[in-house]
Amino acid sequence: MKLFYTTGTCSTAPRILLAEAGIACEQESVSFKNKQTASGADYLLINPNGYVPALQLDDGTVLTEGPAIDQYIADLAPEKKLAPANGTTERYKLQSWLNFIGTELHKGGYSILFDRGAADEWKNAARAKLAKRLAHADAALADRPYLLGNDFGAADAYLYVVLTWSEHAGVDLSAFAHLRAFMERVAARPSVQAVKAADAKK
Ligand SMILES: N[C@@H](CCC(=O)N[C@@H](CS)C(=O)NCC(=O)O)C(=O)O
């Protein structure tokens, strides 16, 4: 199994989950500039959409889309409780959060703020909408350490990674005390420390 990733992007979430799960998995970085992998392969042949993450399974199947990859990794180590069991209401709650983070926060919010071609008007609208969506996530964390309760899981890894972009994107988290506490909690996890240490070596 091999994970294709780019440092600092949403593909950090599956890397955190691999570390949480204790799964040794080859990881190869991808350059956004030329869509080449570190070993010189054409990444567009692996994921024609050109974005990370992608997870190549041992049988050659390539899984794309972060939320699917995050759940696949979580399901490889059910004892780590990174995702509730398939078919349970809790699992659908996880999928709700993954979809919320992917569409409302990541692509519908932060991605617009990073888009050099986006007009200021559009960015301001995205920022205003993002504040409402962040308030929703903040409220959800008022009485629990992680989105689904006491267990850190796939949605938490994704939320954490997206929120790390806040400063660079000009998103102010100061009004969201629960999100800020969540960020500190997740940043202290050995899995996150391990991914940071691996990136620092490069
Ligand atoms: N729908 C995809 C979006 C992934 C995505 O936006 N990846 C970004 C990094 S966070 C990327 O690779 N951008 C480069 C590009 O789109 O060419 C998913 O959920 O996996």
Side-chain angles (χ1 to χ4, degrees), residues 95-106 133-134 136-137:
Q95 290 169 350
S96 292
W97 276 116
L98 288 169
N99 202 58
F100 175 83
I101 298 160
T103 58
E104 302 295 330
L105 302 183
H106 178 184
R133 303 298 185 251
L134 290 171
H136 171 67

Side-chain angles (χ1 to χ4, degrees), residues 100-114 122-138 159 162-163 165-166 169-173 176 179:
F100 175 83
I101 298 160
T103 58
E104 302 295 330
L105 302 183
H106 178 184
K107 303 309 281 190
Y110 286 85
S111 286
I112 297 168
L113 300 177
F114 287 130
W122 192 26
K123 286 190 178 175
N124 290 338
R127 218 171 250 118
K129 195 168 90 173
L130 205 41
K132 289 185 197 160
R133 303 298 185 251
L134 290 171
H136 171 67
D138 186 73
L159 178 62
V162 169
L163 294 180
W165 304 332
S166 297
V171 175
D172 183 9
L173 294 184
F176 305 119
L179 283 182

Side-chain angles (χ1 to χ4, degrees), residues 181-200:
F182 168 84
M183 290 301 280
E184 280 183 28
R185 204 174 294 132
V186 179
R189 295 186 73 85
S191 59
V192 175
Q193 296 295 322
V195 172
K196 279 188 186 166
D199 285 341

Side-chain angles (χ1 to χ4, degrees), residues 3-181:
L3 179 74
F4 293 92
Y5 75 98
T6 303
T7 299
T9 71
C10 56
S11 57
T12 307
R15 294 174 72 206
I16 292 170
L17 292 166
L18 284 167
E20 289 279 344
I23 294 170
C25 172
E26 195 182 339
Q27 300 185 15
E28 185 166 352
S29 66
V30 177
S31 162
F32 280 179
K33 280 190 196 139
N34 56 14
K35 299 289 178 199
Q36 278 203 347
T37 73
S39 64
D42 180 356
Y43 185 60
L44 293 174
L45 296 177
I46 296 157
N47 180 2
N49 286 317
Y51 50 64
V52 289
L55 185 68
Q56 192 161 42
L57 308 184
D58 291 341
D59 68 359
T61 304
V62 175
L63 289 181
T64 60
E65 302 304 317
I69 292 169
D70 294 341
Q71 290 181 76
Y72 183 88
I73 293 168
D75 286 340
L76 291 177
E79 72 284 1
K80 304 287 182 183
K81 297 186 181 168
L82 298 166
N86 267 303
T88 60
T89 307
E90 285 300 294
R91 183 58 173 250
Y92 291 110
K93 284 192 195 169
L94 167 66
Q95 290 169 350
S96 292
W97 276 116
L98 288 169
N99 202 58
F100 175 83
I101 298 160
T103 58
E104 302 295 330
L105 302 183
H106 178 184
K107 303 309 281 190
Y110 286 85
S111 286
I112 297 168
L113 300 177
F114 287 130
D115 186 341
R116 289 201 187 108
D120 284 348
E121 208 175 38
W122 192 26
K123 286 190 178 175
N124 290 338
R127 218 171 250 118
K129 195 168 90 173
L130 205 41
K132 289 185 197 160
R133 303 298 185 251
L134 290 171
H136 171 67
D138 186 73
L141 289 164
D143 65 348
R144 51 189 54 206
Y146 299 115
L147 289 169
L148 292 186
N150 289 326
D151 296 319
F152 174 86
D156 302 299
Y158 192 14
L159 178 62
Y160 169 77
V161 170
V162 169
L163 294 180
T164 61
W165 304 332
S166 297
E167 195 177 333
H168 189 51
V171 175
D172 183 9
L173 294 184
S174 59
F176 305 119
H178 305 302
L179 283 182
R180 285 189 284 108

